[in-house]
């Protein structure tokens, strides 16, 4: 028999799964940024608490998020090459931080992720507005 906490956790997992399945490609990118930012912050906190196991876990998950962002790049656009360089930089910083446990390295990564997330949110919003205008003209 499941507890109330277990039922709540199941409901949250179903909600999260449904959100991913129904999200637009732009929304998925924003979700990846959100997840990565969260894990970088948790890694930084774990490093400050000298919890090497948790910091490693969160840093590895952050790397998985960056890897998914890299996999989503479309190299038919020149911007993708620039994004790849940024993602490579972030990946190297995450790896080095996991080795050295220098939380300062995470600040630059976190700031880049936050700025890129905001840019994507604005792009997604602009696309939605353009789609609305197009529909209104029909």
């Amino acid at each position: 028999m499941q507890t109330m906490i277990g039922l709540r956790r199941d409901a949250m997992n179903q909600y999260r799964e449904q959100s991913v399945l129904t999200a637009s490609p732009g929304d998925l990118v924003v979700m990846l940024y959100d997840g990565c930012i969260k894990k970088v912050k948790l890694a930084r906190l774990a490093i400050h608490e000298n919890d090497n196991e948790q910091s490693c876990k969160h840093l590895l998950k952050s790397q998985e998020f960056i890897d998914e962002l890299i996999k989503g790049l479309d190299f038919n656009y020149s911007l993708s090459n620039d994004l790849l360089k940024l993602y490579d930089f972030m990946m190297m910083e995450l790896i080095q931080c996991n080795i050295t446990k220098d939380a300062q390295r995470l600040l630059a990564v976190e700031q880049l992720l936050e700025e890129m997330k905001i840019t994507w949110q604005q792009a997604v919003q602009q696309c939605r507005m353009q789609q609305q205008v197009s529909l209104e003209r029909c």
Side-chain angles (χ1 to χ4, degrees), residues 15-31:
Y15 173 78
R16 202 173 294 127
E17 183 178 323
Q18 193 62 31
S19 295
V20 169
L21 292 174
T22 59
S24 71
D27 288 327
L28 289 173
V29 172
V30 172
M31 287 178 188

Side-chain angles (χ1 to χ4, degrees), residues 46-109:
I47 290 169
H48 287 300
E49 293 175 350
N50 292 317
D51 188 342
N52 289 336
E53 183 178 333
Q54 286 300 307
S55 68
C56 181
K57 176 181 135 187
H58 295 305
L59 288 167
L60 290 174
K61 190 65 178 174
S62 298
Q63 291 171 45
E64 289 176 21
F65 280 113
I66 298 292
D67 190 50
E68 288 301 316
L69 289 164
I70 291 170
K71 288 177 185 174
L73 293 174
D74 181 349
F75 289 97
N76 291 317
Y77 300 96
S78 60
L79 175 64
S80 292
N81 291 313
D82 296 330
L83 288 171
L84 180 60
K85 290 175 187 174
L86 286 171
Y87 294 150
D88 281 344
F89 166 77
M90 288 188 256
M91 189 70 85
M92 290 308 300
E93 288 298 290
L94 293 170
I95 291 167
Q96 287 302 312
C97 181
N98 209 359
I99 293 168
T100 65
K101 301 301 182 210
D102 178 5
Q104 284 298 114
R105 296 186 96 108
L106 296 178
L107 294 176
V109 173

